């Protein structure tokens, strides 16, 4: 209705906005973001998912620290007054890229470095293929259970999965790393409320390779997970 290009709409549906706009205040803000995408139809759709992650983290994600008694006390977001007014697409993309580099360089501290959580109950997977060959391939799907592990995943894959620590700690999401012969292949988000695979990212936010998609589908079937409409073939 706002005139957003179809390719951008698909990218939005493949991002965190594809599941929820949040409360009334958050919805009003995301409406201005969609308006921004409508006004700038030439924006690279590969950047839309990272932009949504950046805006959400800056405007809505609490900051804070784990106290001595183990209780997490959230603080205010970094930019609660963040607005889309007057924003330039190139400048915004540059800010997102700078934010990514900051996530990769920063030490393990604060919300991303100190949070830990228990397994969500969704089983991982170890699958060996080509056992009759000289060098079989071993695929592993493993849940990441701390801010430190998310940061390592994000640094290796060059995306911003580290910012999902708060959602994992709150039991809204679970993040899994898909690896082949111990090399990172994909990062997967599971929405724990619907038990659905909702996002699949490769290195640099690329879409899944055919091999990676096949492995995720096999694991999803074994783990009794649904697969979201935009989990594959759309960029975060």
């Amino acid at each position: 209705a706002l005139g957003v290009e179809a390719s951008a709409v698909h990218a939005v549906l493949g991002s965190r906005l594809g599941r929820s706009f949040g409360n009334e205040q958050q919805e009003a803000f995301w409406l201005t973001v969609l308006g921004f995408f409508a006004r700038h139809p030439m924006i690279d759709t590969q950047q839309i998912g990272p932009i949504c992650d950046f805006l959400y983290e800056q405007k809505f994600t609490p900051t804070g620290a784990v106290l001595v008694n183990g209780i997490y006390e959230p603080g205010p977001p970094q930019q609660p007054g963040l607005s889309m007014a007057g924003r330039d697409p190139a400048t915004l993309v540059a800010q997102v890229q700078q934010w990514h580099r900051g996530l990769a360089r920063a030490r393990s501290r604060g919300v991303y470095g100190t949070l830990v959580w228990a397994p969500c109950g969704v089983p991982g997977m170890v699958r060996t293929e080509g056992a009759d060959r000289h060098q079989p391939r071993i695929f592993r799907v493993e849940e990441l259970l701390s801010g430190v592990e998310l940061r390592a995943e994000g640094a290796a894959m060059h995306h911003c999965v580290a910012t999902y620590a708060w959602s994992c700690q709150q039991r809204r999401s679970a993040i899994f790393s898909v690896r082949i012969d111990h090399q990172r292949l994909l990062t997967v988000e599971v929405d724990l409320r619907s038990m659905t695979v909702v996002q699949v990212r490769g290195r640099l936010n690329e879409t899944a390779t055919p091999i990676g998609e096949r492995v995720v589908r096999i694991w999803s079937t074994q783990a009794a997970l649904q697969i979201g409409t935009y989990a594959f073939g759309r960029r975060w």
Side-chain angles (χ1 to χ4, degrees), residues 144 149 152-154 156-157 177-180 182-186:
L144 305 181
E149 291 184 353
E153 180 83 356
M157 298 291 282
S177 179
V178 180
R179 306 180 186 188
I180 176 172
H182 302 290
Q183 294 183 347
R184 299 176 198 264
L185 182 64
L186 294 169

Side-chain angles (χ1 to χ4, degrees), residues 42-81:
M42 289 297 294
I43 195 166
D44 184 357
T45 54
Q46 184 174 352
Q47 300 295 334
I48 287 178
I51 286 172
C52 292
D53 283 338
F54 168 74
L55 296 174
Y56 182 88
E57 194 267 353
Q58 295 291 303
K59 188 173 179 67
F60 300 120
T61 300
T63 57
V66 175
L67 305 181
V68 175
N69 60 6
I71 298 175
Y72 182 74
E73 183 175 302
Q78 296 184 54
Q79 297 188 62

Side-chain angles (χ1 to χ4, degrees), residues 95-110:
Q95 290 173 338
V96 173
Q97 293 174 344
Q98 183 179 16
W99 172 64
H100 276 181
R101 289 192 293 269
L103 288 175
R105 289 195 307 265
R107 297 178 179 178
S108 298
R109 65 178 186 273

Side-chain angles (χ1 to χ4, degrees), residues 122-129 136-144 153 157 175-188 200-201 211-220 222:
V122 175
M125 183 182 75
V126 178
R127 178 181 176 85
T128 301
E129 295 187 351
R137 295 181 301 182
I138 300 176
F139 295 94
R140 301 176 187 273
V141 183
E142 301 176 350
E143 186 178 2
L144 305 181
E153 180 83 356
M157 298 291 282
I175 302 295
F176 290 81
S177 179
V178 180
R179 306 180 186 188
I180 176 172
D181 297 331
H182 302 290
Q183 294 183 347
R184 299 176 198 264
L185 182 64
L186 294 169
T187 308
V188 179
V200 180
R201 288 186 183 181
I211 291 176
E213 180 171 340
R214 178 171 58 81
V215 171
V216 171
R217 289 189 180 277
I218 291 171
W219 165 64
S220 299
Q222 292 182 3

Side-chain angles (χ1 to χ4, degrees), residues 108-119:
S108 298
R109 65 178 186 273
V111 63
Y112 305 134
T114 59
L115 286 183
V116 295
W117 47 90

Side-chain angles (χ1 to χ4, degrees), residues 194-198 220 224-228:
S194 61
M195 299 303 286
T196 301
V197 172
V198 291
S220 299
L225 297 172
Q226 301 181 70
I227 295 181

